Amino acid sequence: MLQTKLVDSALKAWTIEQRRHFHMHPELSGQEFETAAYVKEKLAEFGIPVDSRFSEPNVIAYFKGTEGKKTVALRADMDALPLYEEGDKPYISTVPGVMHGCGHDGHTAILLAVAKWMSSHPDQVKNNIVFIFQSSEEASPSGAQQLVKEGVLDEVDVIYGIHLMSRLPLGKIGFASGFAMASSDDFDITIEGVGGHGGQPQDAVDPIYIATHLIQAFQSVVSRNLHPLHAGVISFGGMQAGNSYNVIPSEVKLQGTIRAMTFEAAELMNKKTAQLTESICASFGANGHYEFIEGTPPLYNHPEACEYALKVIQDIFGEEAFEPMEPSMGAEDFSYYLKEKTGAFINVGMQSEKSKYPHHHPLFDIDEDAIPTAIELMIQLALNGE
């Protein structure tokens, strides 16, 4: 647990209370209307106005700085996951089949705490601040993508986001500079063959056999088309075919995901998988239909924002607090903001006995001792916003 300069025990206790409220009342992506109403109620108590121009259930609020030469955006995601929570914590989810299994309840409470602190110390906030309480990080369509389209960043100079991270030790803050997280796109494939008798395959066009060639060929995109230093992953997650021992089905459906660490790699992998689907299926006399489902782009942490964040971390928490992180093939829709504006996405460590389970696990929980660090970090990043 790191020492904080601006966050006292009272603000920590208040934030934990808010976080537990959100944890007990989770809402799925695009359905966070009660969460949004609660956030608006708190912002009204702080005297911070909400901008009604943006789509609900997103909540966008503005804090006018004393100088207003720069505008800094801070973002928290609000959605929960379709999981049945396990365990016996006193603040366990009250909504069957829905839980905050990724820490978004903490992120929302932390950003509210930042707003509360700023409303109590307005003379210390020189920059204009945009508070982004975002819907739908966990599902498509992305809430970040929608807000960017609606112009949430039009007047913003720099944007920061944080993520409480269970695989980073408590008392550490870390990030990767440059490309830090992968894109995440999906695909659906339908192979239309000709069904027939399992003992007479010469009279059929076997889509299962064709599917095996397609699955193998897709891996050549990574090993033979992608630049060896540009990370990429293609994984098949589903295959639906026939249901009889001796009947060759007429159709096979495949589904999978494409992950890439650069914009160029993501575009190449989409193009090549579509080409392979059509050409391989045609070579066997079948029809191949490829549907690309756009997800999130790679997340690029701007070096200048990372340099500033590193200085803040070391100045406030000490040089030992920062832990460099390797890029991850996980995805995060904060990447849409970073495609448009300078900024960084930063991980706040919380790995401990309480938070030993990974994100998206039914027993996942936050070590609340990490919360003051996250509040302090967001405040300090916003005060100068370089």
Side-chain angles (χ1 to χ4, degrees):
M1 182 177 175
L2 298 173
Q3 296 298 314
T4 56
K5 296 182 178 181
L6 303 177
V7 180
D8 58 20
S9 58
L11 185 58
K12 175 185 176 180
W14 182 90
T15 310
I16 290 173
E17 180 183 351
Q18 310 312 307
R19 178 256 160 170
R20 293 185 176 187
H21 168 85
F22 293 131
H23 194 89
M24 293 177 66
H25 303 93
E27 296 176 291
L28 293 174
S29 302
Q31 302 175 24
E32 310 97 319
F33 291 99
E34 292 300 321
T35 302
Y38 188 91
V39 168
K40 289 178 182 178
E41 178 183 322
K42 294 301 177 184
L43 291 172
E45 292 177 9
F46 307 152
I48 299 177
V50 170
D51 192 327
S52 61
R53 294 176 299 170
F54 298 94
S55 57
E56 295 181 340
N58 298 293
V59 180
I60 311 301
Y62 290 90
F63 187 92
K64 187 172 179 57
T66 58
E67 296 182 2
K69 294 179 180 179
K70 285 189 176 181
T71 298
V72 181
L74 304 173
R75 176 270 213 164
D77 35 18
M78 301 190 295
D79 51 336
L81 292 162
L83 285 174
Y84 281 91
E85 185 166 17
E86 299 176 6
D88 58 359
K89 60 178 74 77
Y91 48 88
I92 197 165
S93 170
T94 60
V95 184
V98 183
M99 74 166 286
H100 273 292
C102 199
H104 296 187
D105 50 339
H107 303 164
T108 304
I110 287 162
L111 191 55
L112 270 182
V114 173
K116 179 179 174 65
W117 184 91
M118 289 185 176
S119 68
S120 300
H121 303 82
D123 57 312
Q124 297 187 42
V125 186
K126 297 179 180 179
N127 295 317
N128 296 325
I129 310 297
V130 180
F131 296 101
I132 302 175
F133 294 89
Q134 180 206 308
S135 167
S136 299
E137 189 279 323
E138 296 283 2
S140 294
S142 157
Q145 183 182 30
Q146 180 64 32
L147 285 172
V148 169
K149 288 179 180 178
E150 293 174 3
V152 73
L153 298 181
D154 285 355
E155 305 300 324
V156 168
D157 296 298
V158 63
I159 181 167
Y160 293 100
I162 60 100
H163 201 300
L164 297 170
M165 182 55 62
S166 65
R167 60 185 175 87
L168 185 66
L170 181 68
K172 293 290 186 178
I173 304 170
F175 55 80
S177 184
F179 285 105
M181 298 184 74
S183 62
S184 177
D185 302 310
D186 297 329
F187 59 82
D188 285 319
I189 296 172
T190 301
I191 303 173
E192 295 178 349
V194 177
H197 195 289
Q200 298 172 327
Q202 74 278 7
D203 296 328
V205 177
D206 187 348
I208 294 179
Y209 179 69
I210 298 169
T212 66
H213 284 266
L214 204 59
I215 292 169
Q216 293 292 327
F218 271 30
Q219 302 312 313
S220 72
V221 175
V222 176
S223 66
R224 287 298 176 267
N225 297 124
L226 194 63
H227 191 294
L229 298 181
H230 294 176
V233 173
I234 300 176
S235 295
F236 285 85
M239 180 175 180
Q240 296 83 41
N243 57 7
S244 177
Y245 290 105
N246 66 343
V247 176
I248 296 173
S250 61
E251 185 178 271
V252 167
K253 292 183 179 294
L254 301 170
Q255 60 192 54
T257 188
I258 298 173
R259 302 285 174 117
M261 194 54 75
T262 67
F263 301 112
E264 295 79 9
E267 183 178 356
L268 180 145
M269 293 167 77
N270 170 32
K271 179 181 178 181
K272 288 294 184 180
T273 50
Q275 290 175 345
L276 286 171
T277 299
E278 181 177 355
S279 60
I280 289 176
C281 290
S283 71
F284 285 99
N287 293 316
H289 303 282
Y290 181 94
E291 180 185 359
F292 177 74
I293 305 167
E294 183 180 7
T296 56
L299 187 147
Y300 182 78
N301 272 338
H302 296 258
E304 58 269 42
C306 290
E307 184 178 347
Y308 170 67
L310 176 60
K311 183 179 184 301
V312 168
I313 292 165
Q314 292 180 334
D315 287 349
I316 301 301
F317 302 108
E319 291 191 5
E320 298 301 316
F322 179 71
E323 183 165 314
M325 299 184 71
E326 293 184 348
S328 166
M329 296 309 288
E332 160 65 57
D333 78 350
F334 195 82
S335 57
Y336 281 109
Y337 301 121
L338 296 179
K339 276 188 71 176
E340 303 297 323
K341 297 288 182 175
T342 299
F345 190 64
I346 302 169
N347 296 291
V348 176
M350 62 167 190
Q351 185 184 74
S352 67
E353 181 61 26
K354 184 177 181 183
S355 60
K356 62 184 177 181
Y357 294 98
H359 298 262
H360 294 214
H361 190 284
L363 288 169
F364 173 86
D365 200 5
I366 290 173
D367 188 326
E368 293 168 334
D369 281 341
I371 284 177
T373 300
I375 300 170
E376 180 93 16
L377 177 61
M378 295 197 90
I379 292 172
Q380 297 285 0
L381 288 170
L383 288 184
N384 291 307
E386 294 182 1

